[in-house]
C-alpha cells in the first residue's frame, strides 16, 4: 500500500489509465489468516475483515509505545498508513490513516460525488455507500411522504444512483432508512474504522467501531486511496458502574455526559466507555450513546466488544463476524492499565432520567427538576408535539419500551394528549415492529408512523400546528435541539430525552410531569402510576428485512451515464476555486461579526435548503441567514461596508465578490459545532471569503474550512474578539512564511485610522498549508496527480 501511494504521489504526469492501475493495485488486500480471509466485512462486500492486518500493525505500534493502550488507540493506530514511522502524540500529531469504508447520506453525498467526479478518478478505492434519508419531508405519514419525496427529488436520486453505479458505490434507495441505522445493521463491526459524511456517524461505536464524521472532501480523499488525515485525538474515559434500571435508559448516559462536558468538552478527543456497567447496556443502547457524542464535539465514541454486541451481530445475520471477533478480543478491548487524558465515572444504578434543553443539547435537567426549571425560566410547560425515533433512538428495543408504556396507558383509557410522531430507523425496524404489532399499538395511542428517514430531526417537517414565532415546547428522542432546527421556528423550545420519557410526557402533555413519582388519572377516574418500561432487546422471531432497497454497483460501470443538466437548479458541476496569489490578505472587509453560538445550521441552514445541497451557487443563498450579527443583534441583516446600505448576508457577500473585495468572518466560541455539512465551508469560499477568525472551532468544521482553501484562525488572546468592529479592515500578514505552529500577524484598521496589531493562531500542518496555496485540497490532489 505504501508503494502504491509513492507511485500516486511520485513525479511525472499520470493519465487516467495509470490512476486506475494504481487504484487496483492499492485496493488488493494482502493475504490474511485463513479464518479471517474467508469472512467478508459485510454481505455486500468482497473485502475481508481486516483483523489479521490490524493485529500486525498493533504489535508494531504497541512495541513502539511500550505501554498499555486504550481501545480507541488500538483501533485507530492499527489503521495507520505507516505504523512503523508515524509520529504518535495525542493532541499534537497528525495521523495518516487507512479507513475500511466510507458512508454518505444523500444530502452530503451530492457534493462528495461531485467532488469525486471532478477528481477524474474512475472508481472508488474502498467500499463506499450512499444512503437516501435526508430529503424526505414529514407531512402526513410514511407511504405518502415517501412517494412525494421520490417525485420531488427524482433528479437528485437519479444522479446519486447513476454516480454510485459508475464509480462503484452501493446505493440505498429512499425508504431504506437512516444511514446510521443501516450501517449498524449491515456494515459496522468491532474494530472498524469508517468515515461518514454526517456528524452522527459515531453511532457505529455501539458495535465497537471507530466511526467518524467528516466533510465530503475527506470522503473523496479516502475514496481516491489517499491516506486520511486526523489530528491524533486525546482519549476521555467514561467508566460505567452499576446497572441501568427502571426509567433510566442509555440515552440518559449521554445526556448526563453532555451536561458534564458541554458542547465543546469532547473536542479533539475520543470518548471511550468502559467498566462493569457496560454489560448492562444493549448494543443499540450503546449506539445511542455514541451517536449523541457528536453533541459534545467528540471525534467519536466507542464501546468495547462484549456479549451484547455478539448477540446483535448474530440477530442481524452476521454470525461469522461475531465468531471472528471473538478470536480478536485483544484488539477489541482496552488494556487493564489504559491511560486516559480525562476520566469520568457514572454509576448507572443512581443515574436519574434526564431531559436536556432547550436550544442546546448540553443543558441537562434531571426529570425531577425539569418542571421547576421550566417555570423558573419561563419555558412553555404545555407540550405541543412528542416525537420518537431518529438515528439516535429508533431501535426495536426503543420502540418496544415505548409500546409497553402505551399499552398500560391504553388500558386505563388514555392516549397521547398531543400529536405523537414515530420515525422508524430503518426498513428492517419498520417491518419488524409492524409484524410484531408495536407499530399498531403506537397508532392506537394516536401516533403517526413517518417514513424511514431523518424527517423532523433535521428540519424536514411540514409543521402546521403553530405559527412561526409562536412560543411553544416539543419533546423529542433526537440528538440535537439548536434554535429552529426542527421546524424553522426560533420560538420552539425543543427538549431532548429518551423515547420512553417522550412517550410518558405525551400522555400528560406537560413538562412538569415526572413518571417516576407522579400519577395519572384514567378514564374511570382512578389514579395510577406508570410502571417501569420494558421490552425485548432483540426480536424473538428475528428481524423482518422488509422490502429490498439496496442497489449493488455493477462490476464495470464505465458505460453508465451520469448527467447533470446545465439548467438544473438542484445539481451543478463544480468549478475549481482560485489559487492563492502569493500575497498577503490586506484590508479585508468583515462580512459579519457573529455574536454567540454559530453552528453549521447558522452558517448553512437545512430544512427547505436541503434540496440545493448539490447546487453550490443556489444553496449559497442561505449563508449565515440565521447567525446573529453583533453590530445590530439581528439575523440576516448586515451593513454593506462599500455602500453603507443594509441587506441580507448572502446578497452582501455577492456584492463584495462582484466588486473584487475579499472578505472574512469574525466569530465566537466553538464556531461550526453541529452537523458535518461542508456547505458551511464551501459557501463562504464560493462567495469570496478568505478567512474565518474566531475564539475556537469545532473539529469537523475547522477541517472543512482547510479543505476548501480558507484560513481558519483563532485569537491568541480571545479578548481580541472585542477589539474588532464590523466596519474595520483586517489584514493577514507574512503569509509567504505561513508555517505549522507559527502565529499569523493580524492588523485591525479601524474606521478612525487607528490600528491594533494582534496574533492569530492556526492548526495547519504542511499538507494543509499546501491546500491553502493550491486553493483547495481538491486542487492539490489534481496537482499531485499531474506531478506538480
Amino acid at each position: 500500500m505504501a508503494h502504491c501511494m509513492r507511485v500516486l504521489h511520485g513525479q511525472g504526469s499520470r493519465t487516467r489509465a495509470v490512476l486506475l492501475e494504481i487504484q487496483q493495485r492499492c485496493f488488493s488486500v494482502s493475504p490474511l489468516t485463513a479464518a479471517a480471509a474467508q469472512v467478508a466485512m459485510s454481505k455486500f462486500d468482497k473485502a475481508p475483515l481486516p483483523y489479521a492486518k490490524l493485529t500486525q500493525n498493533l504489535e508494531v505500534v504497541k512495541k513502539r509505545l511500550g505501554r498499555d493502550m486504550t481501545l480507541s488507540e488500538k483501533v485507530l493506530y492499527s489503521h495507520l498508513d505507516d505504523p512503523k514511522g508515524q509520529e504518535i502524540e495525542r493532541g499534537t500529531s497528525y495521523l495518516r490513516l487507512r479507513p475500511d469504508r466510507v458512508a454518505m447520506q444523500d444530502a452530503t453525498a451530492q457534493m462528495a460525488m461531485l467532488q469525486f467526479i471532478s477528481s477524474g478518478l474512475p472508481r472508488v478505492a474502498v467500499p463506499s455507500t450512499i444512503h437516501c434519508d435526508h430529503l424526505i419531508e414529514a407531512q402526513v405519514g410514511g407511504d405518502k411522504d415517501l412517494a412525494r419525496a421520490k417525485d420531488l427529488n427524482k433528479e437528485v436520486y437519479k444522479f446519486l444512483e447513476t454516480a454510485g453505479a459508475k464509480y462503484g458505490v452501493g446505493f440505498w434507495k429512499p425508504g431504506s432508512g437512516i444511514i446510521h441505522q443501516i450501517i449498524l445493521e449491515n456494515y459496522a463491526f468491532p474494530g472498524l474504522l469508517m468515515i461518514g459524511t454526517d456528524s452522527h456517524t459515531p453511532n457505529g461505536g455501539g458495535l465497537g467501531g471507530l466511526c467518524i464524521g467528516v466533510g465530503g472532501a475527506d470522503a473523496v480523499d479516502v475514496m481516491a486511496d489517499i491516506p486520511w488525515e486526523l489530528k491524533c485525538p486525546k482519549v476521555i474515559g467514561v467508566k460505567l458502574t452499576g446497572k441501568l434500571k427502571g426509567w433510566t435508559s442509555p440515552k440518559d448516559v449521554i445526556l448526563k455526559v453532555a451536561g458534564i462536558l458541554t458542547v465543546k468538552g469532547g473536542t479533539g478527543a475520543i470518548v471511550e466507555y468502559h467498566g462493569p456497567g457496560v454489560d448492562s447496556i444493549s448494543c443499540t443502547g450503546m449506539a445511542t450513546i455514541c451517536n449523541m457524542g457528536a453533541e459534545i464535539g467528540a471525534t467519536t465514541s466507542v464501546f468495547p466488544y462484549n456479549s451484547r454486541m455478539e448477540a446483535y451481530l448474530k440477530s442481524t445475520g452476521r454470525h461469522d463476524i461475531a465468531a471472528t471477533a471473538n478470536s480478536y478480543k485483544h484488539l477489541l478491548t482496552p488494556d487493564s492499565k489504559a491511560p486516559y487524558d480525562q476520566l469520568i465515572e457514572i454509576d448507572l444504578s443512581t443515574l436519574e432520567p434526564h431531559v436536556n434543553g432547550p436550544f442546546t443539547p448540553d443543558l441537562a435537567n434531571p426529570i425531577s427538576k425539569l418542571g421547576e426549571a421550566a417555570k423558573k425560566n419561563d419555558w412553555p410547560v404545555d407540550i405541543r408535539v412528542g416525537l420518537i425515533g431518529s438515528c439516535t433512538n429508533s431501535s426495536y428495543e426503543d420502540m418496544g419500551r415505548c409500546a409497553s408504556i402505551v399499552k398500560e396507558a391504553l388500558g386505563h383509557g388514555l392516549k397521547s394528549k398531543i400529536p405523537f410522531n414515530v420515525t422508524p430507523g430503518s426498513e428492517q425496524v419498520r417491518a419488524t415492529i409492524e409484524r410484531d404489532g408495536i407499530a399498531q399499538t403506537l397508532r392506537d395511542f394516536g401516533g403517526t408512523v413517518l417514513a424511514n428517514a431523518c424527517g423532523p430531526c433535521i428540519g424536514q417537517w411540514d409543521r402546521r400546528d403553530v405559527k412561526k414565532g409562536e412560543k411553544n415546547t416539543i419533546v423529542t428522542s433526537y440528538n440535537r435541539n439548536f434554535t429552529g432546527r426542527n421546524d424553522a421556528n426560533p420560538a420552539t423550545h425543543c427538549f431532548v430525552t429518551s423515547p420512553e420519557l417522550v412517550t410518558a410526557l405525551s400522555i400528560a402533555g406537560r413538562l412538569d410531569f415526572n413518571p417516576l413519582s407522579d400519577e395519572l388519572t384514567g378514564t374511570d377516574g382512578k389514579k395510577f402510576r406508570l410502571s417501569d418500561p420494558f421490552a425485548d432487546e432483540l426480536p424473538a422471531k428475528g428481524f423482518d428485512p422488509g422490502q429490498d432497497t439496496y442497489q449493488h454497483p455493477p462490476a464495470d460501470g464505465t458505460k453508465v451515464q451520469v448527467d447533470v443538466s446545465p439548467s438544473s437548479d438542484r445539481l451543478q458541476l463544480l468549478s475549481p476555486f482560485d489559487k492563492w496569489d502569493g500575497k498577503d490578505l490586506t484590508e479585508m472587509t468583515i462580512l459579519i461579526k457573529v455574536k454567540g453560538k454559530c453552528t453549521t445550521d447558522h452558517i448553512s441552514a437545512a430544512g427547505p435548503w436541503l434540496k440545493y445541497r448539490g447546487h453550490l451557487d443556489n444553496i449559497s443563498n442561505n449563508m449565515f441567514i440565521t447567525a446573529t450579527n453583533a453590530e445590530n443583534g439581528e439575523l440576516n441583516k448586515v451593513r454593506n461596508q462599500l455602500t453603507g446600505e443594509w441587506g441580507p448576508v448572502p446578497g452582501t457577500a455577492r456584492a463584495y465578490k462582484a466588486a473584487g473585495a475579499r472578505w472574512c468572518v469574525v466569530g465566537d466560541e466553538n464556531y461550526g459545532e453541529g452537523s458535518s455539512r461542508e456547505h458551511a465551508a464551501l459557501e463562504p469560499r464560493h462567495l469570496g471569503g478568505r478567512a474565518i477568525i474566531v475564539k475556537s472551532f469545532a473539529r469537523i468544521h475547522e477541517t472543512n474550512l482547510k479543505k476548501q482553501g480558507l484560513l481558519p484562525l483563532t485569537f491568541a488572546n480571545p479578548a481580541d474578539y472585542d477589539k474588532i468592529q464590523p466596519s474595520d479592515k483586517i489584514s493577514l500578514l507574512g503569509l509567504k512564511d505561513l508555517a505549522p505552529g507559527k502565529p499569523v500577524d493580524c492588523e485591525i484598521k479601524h474606521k478612525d485610522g487607528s490600528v491594533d496589531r494582534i496574533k492569530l493562531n492556526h492548526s495547519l500542518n504542511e499538507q494543509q498549508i499546501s491546500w491553502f496555496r493550491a486553493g483547495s485540497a481538491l486542487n492539490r490532489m489534481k496537482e499531485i496527480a499531474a506531478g506538480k
Side-chain angles (χ1 to χ4, degrees):
M1 186 71 76
H3 169 69
C4 294
M5 288 314 302
R6 284 195 295 271
V7 173
L8 181 59
H9 291 279
Q11 301 303 309
S13 64
R14 293 289 184 265
T15 64
R16 184 176 290 198
V18 172
L19 283 172
L20 176 58
E21 182 183 348
I22 292 169
Q23 279 196 317
Q24 290 172 334
R25 289 209 309 269
C26 291
F27 191 45
S28 63
V29 182
S30 57
L32 306 179
T33 60
Q38 292 173 358
V39 179
M41 289 198 299
S42 83
K43 67 180 180 180
F44 305 106
D45 299 315
K46 293 181 180 178
L49 285 173
Y51 289 154
K53 178 64 175 177
L54 299 184
T55 298
Q56 291 172 12
N57 289 349
L58 179 61
E59 290 172 355
V60 172
V61 174
K62 193 159 189 176
K63 188 174 181 180
R64 287 180 56 198
L65 295 179
R67 61 167 172 79
D68 279 10
M69 296 173 66
T70 68
L71 165 62
S72 50
E73 287 184 306
K74 288 182 177 183
V75 177
L76 198 63
Y77 302 163
S78 65
H79 283 85
L80 287 169
D81 183 53
D82 179 15
K84 293 181 180 179
Q86 169 71 58
E87 180 185 354
I88 301 172
E89 185 177 350
R90 289 183 189 172
T92 302
S93 309
Y94 277 91
L95 306 179
R96 292 168 67 80
L97 299 156
R98 291 289 182 178
D100 299 303
R101 69 178 313 111
V102 173
M104 300 168 281
Q105 40 94 334
D106 51 354
T108 52
Q110 295 171 65
M111 195 57 67
M113 292 308 296
L114 286 166
Q115 290 179 88
F116 186 82
I117 290 169
S118 68
S119 75
L121 293 168
R123 195 172 178 86
V124 299
V126 300
S128 304
T129 49
I130 294 169
H131 304 259
C132 295
D133 62 0
H134 269 57
L135 301 179
I136 303 169
E137 185 181 45
Q139 275 194 334
V140 294
D143 291 342
K144 290 183 179 179
D145 292 347
L146 177 59
R148 178 173 175 268
K150 287 180 177 179
D151 180 58
L152 289 174
N153 304 305
K154 56 187 174 184
E155 179 187 13
V156 171
Y157 291 147
K158 185 66 174 178
F159 166 74
L160 294 174
E161 182 179 12
T162 54
K166 187 172 185 66
Y167 297 103
V169 180
F171 181 70
W172 287 85
K173 300 174 185 178
S176 302
I178 305 173
I179 177 173
H180 313 302
Q181 185 65 27
I182 298 293
I183 293 296
L184 198 72
E185 292 173 355
N186 297 280
Y187 297 110
F189 60 83
L192 166 73
L193 177 62
M194 183 187 83
I195 65 168
T197 60
D198 189 278
S199 55
H200 294 103
T201 299
N203 192 80
L207 255 180
L210 289 186
C211 302
I212 302 175
V214 299
D218 276 8
V220 172
D221 277 357
V222 176
M223 293 190 293
D225 205 35
I226 296 173
W228 174 60
E229 193 174 72
L230 175 72
K231 194 167 190 178
C232 188
K234 295 183 178 181
V235 186
I236 298 173
V238 179
K239 184 178 181 180
L240 302 179
T241 60
K243 293 183 178 181
L244 288 177
K245 60 182 180 180
W247 282 87
T248 306
S249 74
K251 187 67 164 283
D252 297 305
V253 176
I254 185 57
L255 294 175
K256 176 70 173 180
V257 170
I260 295 170
L261 290 177
T262 77
V263 290
K264 62 179 183 178
T267 303
I270 293 175
V271 179
E272 183 174 315
Y273 295 86
H274 62 284
V278 167
D279 290 336
S280 75
I281 305 173
S282 66
C283 176
T284 51
M286 294 183 223
T288 292
I289 294 168
C290 292
N291 177 295
M292 200 176 155
E295 273 35 82
I296 56 174
T299 301
T300 192
S301 302
V302 68
F303 278 83
Y305 179 63
N306 66 1
S307 61
R308 309 297 284 268
M309 295 184 192
E310 180 181 6
Y312 185 78
L313 285 168
K314 291 178 177 178
S315 184
T316 50
R318 293 175 283 175
H319 293 75
D320 51 353
I321 293 178
T324 309
N326 286 335
S327 301
Y328 285 90
K329 287 186 178 179
H330 62 284
L331 172 69
L332 309 175
T333 52
D335 293 331
S336 60
K337 297 180 180 178
Y340 297 102
D341 295 286
Q342 180 180 351
L343 188 62
I344 297 168
E345 186 166 336
I346 295 176
D347 181 358
L348 301 179
S349 299
T350 60
L351 179 63
E352 186 177 349
H354 277 62
V355 182
N356 286 22
F359 305 123
T360 184
D362 59 347
L363 182 55
N365 305 290
I367 185 64
S368 62
K369 298 179 180 178
L370 178 63
E372 178 185 342
K375 292 167 186 173
K376 178 181 178 181
N377 293 288
D378 194 30
W379 301 332
V381 175
D382 288 335
I383 304 169
R384 300 295 290 269
V385 186
L387 306 101
I388 66 169
S390 86
C391 66
T392 316
N393 273 115
S394 57
S395 68
Y396 183 83
E397 180 183 34
D398 288 330
M399 297 296 171
R401 282 170 64 90
C402 292
S404 75
I405 299 167
V406 167
K407 286 179 180 177
E408 185 172 18
L410 291 173
H412 289 272
L414 300 183
K415 294 184 177 183
S416 178
K417 280 191 175 180
I418 55 179
F420 186 76
N421 293 325
V422 181
T423 303
S426 69
E427 169 62 10
Q428 180 167 275
V429 168
R430 183 209 62 78
T432 306
I433 65 172
E434 287 286 2
R435 181 199 66 194
D436 293 351
I438 294 173
Q440 188 56 48
T441 297
L442 298 176
R443 289 191 189 97
D444 293 342
F445 181 61
T448 299
V449 179
L450 302 174
N452 313 322
C454 300
C457 182
I458 60 161
Q460 286 285 53
W461 184 17
D462 184 20
R463 188 182 181 192
R464 300 182 181 182
D465 64 298
V466 297
K467 296 178 181 179
K468 192 167 184 177
E470 182 181 344
K471 193 174 177 181
N472 73 103
T473 285
I474 64 173
V475 290
T476 81
S477 69
Y478 303 161
N479 43 43
R480 194 166 281 167
N481 58 349
F482 301 142
T483 303
R485 176 175 174 85
N486 304 111
D487 59 3
N489 180 5
T492 293
H493 293 54
C494 176
F495 293 84
V496 174
T497 185
S498 67
E500 296 94 321
L501 275 186
V502 172
T503 306
L505 292 170
S506 296
I507 299 170
R510 294 179 57 84
L511 277 181
D512 55 3
F513 174 70
N514 180 0
L516 283 74
S517 58
D518 297 343
E519 294 182 323
L520 295 165
T521 303
T523 53
D524 59 1
K526 295 181 180 179
K527 293 185 178 296
F528 71 100
R529 186 181 299 170
L530 290 169
S531 304
D532 294 345
F534 68 93
D536 289 337
E537 174 182 347
L538 297 164
K541 299 177 184 177
F543 281 105
D544 182 337
Q547 298 179 32
D548 183 7
T549 52
Y550 177 71
Q551 177 178 295
H552 199 286
D556 180 5
T558 55
K559 295 182 180 179
V560 177
Q561 294 296 315
V562 181
D563 295 323
V564 176
S565 170
S567 62
S568 172
D569 68 349
R570 298 290 300 272
L571 298 166
Q572 180 187 48
L573 292 175
L574 297 174
S575 298
F577 291 132
D578 61 315
K579 290 184 63 171
W580 176 55
D581 61 8
K583 300 176 182 179
D584 288 341
L585 295 168
T586 56
E587 300 214 352
M588 287 187 292
T589 300
I590 298 170
L591 174 66
I592 183 172
K593 181 182 179 182
V594 178
K595 179 182 178 181
K597 187 185 282 283
C598 188
T599 71
T600 49
D601 278 32
H602 293 91
I603 307 167
S604 175
W609 291 95
L610 282 171
K611 63 185 176 183
Y612 296 126
R613 284 285 182 88
H615 197 292
L616 180 55
D617 194 57
N618 281 348
I619 198 170
S620 293
N621 290 321
N622 76 357
M623 189 181 71
F624 291 110
I625 61 175
T626 60
T628 301
N629 181 7
E631 185 174 10
N632 57 11
E634 296 188 45
L635 309 185
N636 201 26
K637 187 178 181 181
V638 295
R639 188 196 306 270
N640 184 321
Q641 300 300 331
L642 302 180
T643 67
E645 298 176 353
W646 291 89
V649 187
T652 305
R654 290 185 186 276
Y656 290 157
K657 183 178 181 180
R662 296 178 296 191
W663 54 265
C664 63
V665 169
V666 177
D668 216 316
E669 295 274 8
N670 204 32
Y671 179 92
E673 72 172 277
S675 170
S676 69
R677 68 192 67 161
E678 64 182 336
H679 297 75
L682 283 160
E683 292 173 31
R685 184 73 168 95
H686 174 63
L687 294 186
R690 298 294 170 174
I692 309 294
I693 305 168
V694 301
K695 293 180 181 178
S696 63
F697 285 104
R699 174 190 65 86
I700 300 176
H701 186 62
E702 183 179 21
T703 300
N704 286 345
L705 292 169
K706 294 175 182 178
K707 286 279 186 178
Q708 303 306 334
L710 283 151
L711 284 175
L713 305 168
T714 56
F715 294 105
N717 178 6
D720 288 340
Y721 168 89
D722 297 319
K723 293 180 179 178
I724 298 177
Q725 301 303 315
S727 58
D728 292 342
K729 297 290 186 181
I730 303 292
S731 295
L732 303 178
L733 308 176
L735 294 182
K736 284 186 177 179
D737 299 318
L738 186 64
K742 182 181 179 181
V744 172
D745 291 321
C746 175
E747 284 188 356
I748 308 167
K749 185 177 181 180
H750 302 297
K751 204 169 186 178
D752 62 4
S754 62
V755 175
D756 276 314
R757 293 175 176 84
I758 64 173
K759 295 286 187 181
L760 301 174
N761 295 329
H762 66 86
S763 61
L764 294 155
N765 61 22
E766 289 288 0
Q767 176 172 270
Q768 294 164 349
I769 290 171
S770 76
W771 299 343
F772 165 68
R773 290 172 176 155
S776 70
L778 191 58
N779 287 358
R780 182 59 186 148
M781 182 193 300
K782 292 178 180 178
E783 289 179 351
I784 291 169
K788 296 180 181 179

